């Protein structure tokens, strides 16, 4: 299974869109507090369209709580713009955990030091 993890997401519509994508790909969405919005927020559900209720989503009270379970989910891949390995160069195993930081700050510094850093190539 693929797990998508949003660490301290800030924008409800982004989270809703990612949740809808997770549903389409059969991935589980993990949301790690703190959030920049309420899970009851209308913009979250609007971005998830009529699908949000079907998204397999789990919330975690903090990074420390989630981190204790990370190894049981699969191989972690930490997405950051500073990584030298790009998404298209990774052979993702069946059980992969794709971790993303907040929209304005990215992953916390401590997570940027972990192995398996990956970037998403962007067109200039």
């Amino acid at each position: 299974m693929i797990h998508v993890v949003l660490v301290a997401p800030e924008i409800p519509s982004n989270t809703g869109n990612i949740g809808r994508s997770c549903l389409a790909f059969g991935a589980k969405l993990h949301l790690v507090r703190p959030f920049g919005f309420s899970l009851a927020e209308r913009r979250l559900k609007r971005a998830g369209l009529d699908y949000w209720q079907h998204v397999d989503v789990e919330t975690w009270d903090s990074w420390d709580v989630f981190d204790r379970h990370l190894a049981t989910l699969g191989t972690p891949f930490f997405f950051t713009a500073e990584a030298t390995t790009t998404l298209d160069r990774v052979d993702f195993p069946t059980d992969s955990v794709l971790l993303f930081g907040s929209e304005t700050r990215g992953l916390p510094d401590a997570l940027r030091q972990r192995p398996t850093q990956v970037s998403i190539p962007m067109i200039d």
Side-chain angles (χ1 to χ4, degrees):
M1 170 175 259
I2 299 293
H3 298 269
V4 175
V5 181
L6 304 181
V7 180
E10 299 170 324
I11 302 173
S13 56
N14 287 352
T15 301
N17 288 329
I18 292 166
R20 192 174 68 223
S21 296
C22 286
L23 180 62
F25 289 104
K28 182 169 184 168
L29 177 62
H30 299 264
L31 303 175
V32 180
R33 287 187 169 86
F35 308 147
F37 53 89
S38 162
L39 291 179
E41 176 122 9
R42 190 182 70 195
R43 291 181 294 168
L44 172 72
K45 293 181 177 168
R46 183 180 317 140
L49 299 174
D50 294 332
Y51 305 106
W52 184 253
Q53 66 197 19
H54 304 291
V55 174
D56 185 5
V57 63
E58 186 167 353
T59 59
W60 301 86
D61 288 332
S62 68
W63 170 257
D64 291 335
V65 172
F66 176 78
D67 196 25
R68 289 194 290 269
H69 296 277
L70 179 56
T72 68
L73 299 176
T75 305
F77 295 89
F78 296 86
F79 282 79
T80 177
E82 295 87 19
T84 57
T85 302
T86 57
L87 174 70
D88 56 329
R89 303 278 186 216
V90 177
D91 184 22
F92 292 97
T94 301
D95 293 325
S96 293
V97 184
L98 314 179
L99 295 110
F100 300 88
S102 69
E103 293 89 343
T104 60
R105 294 180 309 277
L107 289 170
D109 289 338
L111 300 184
R112 291 183 195 167
Q113 308 308 312
R114 295 224 181 160
T116 325
Q117 301 287 310
V118 179
S119 69
I120 299 173
M122 302 300 279
I123 298 173
D124 289 334

